[in-house]
Amino acid sequence: MPHDEILLIAGMTLVTFGIRYAFYALGDKVNFPPLVKRALRYVPVAVLTAITVPMVLLPDGQHWQLDWRNAWLLGALVSGLIAWRFQHLLAAIAGGIAVFFLWRWLLG
C-alpha cells in the first residue's frame, strides 16, 4: 500500500475517533439546550434515510428505477409496511430481505 494511502487512512481514523471521543469525554460536562437535544433525536433517522434512499431509488447509481422490476424498492416498501403495521424491527428487516431476494430470484 502506498505511503499516501496509509497517511490518508490514519488521518481519517484520527478525525473520526476524535469527533466520537469528544462526545464521550465531554458528555456529562456539556449541557445542550432543549432545542438541540430535540434536534439530535432525528440524526439517526436522517442518516439512515440518506444512506438507503439513493440505493433504493438508483440501484445502478445513475438512473432512477421506479418500476416493479426494482427489487430494492419492493423490499424497502414491504419492510416499511411491516414496520408500520406490526412495529417490529426484526420482522421488518427479515421481511424486506426475503422479498428482495425472492424478487431477484423470480426476475432472474
Side-chain angles (χ1 to χ4, degrees):
M1 187 179 295
H3 183 67
D4 292 343
E5 289 179 9
I6 293 172
L7 287 175
L8 180 65
I9 292 171
M12 290 187 310
T13 302
L14 286 172
V15 169
T16 302
F17 178 77
I19 290 170
R20 292 175 187 227
Y21 183 74
F23 281 105
Y24 289 122
L26 301 174
D28 295 337
K29 297 173 183 146
V30 176
N31 228 351
F32 290 114
L35 182 64
V36 174
K37 285 182 182 179
R38 198 170 78 211
L40 285 174
R41 288 195 338 234
Y42 297 104
V43 169
V45 175
V47 169
L48 183 61
T49 303
I51 292 170
T52 57
V53 168
M55 181 174 56
V56 168
L57 298 180
L58 299 125
D60 66 354
Q62 296 177 347
H63 303 97
W64 291 90
Q65 189 176 354
L66 301 173
D67 60 7
W68 60 272
R69 291 181 302 260
N70 184 350
W72 292 95
L73 181 58
L74 188 61
L77 290 173
V78 168
S79 181
L81 184 65
I82 292 170
W84 170 74
R85 175 65 179 93
F86 299 105
Q87 296 182 352
H88 194 276
L89 182 60
L90 189 57
I93 293 169
I97 290 173
V99 168
F100 170 79
F101 281 117
L102 178 65
W103 204 248
R104 295 274 306 248
W105 179 72
L106 287 173
L107 292 179

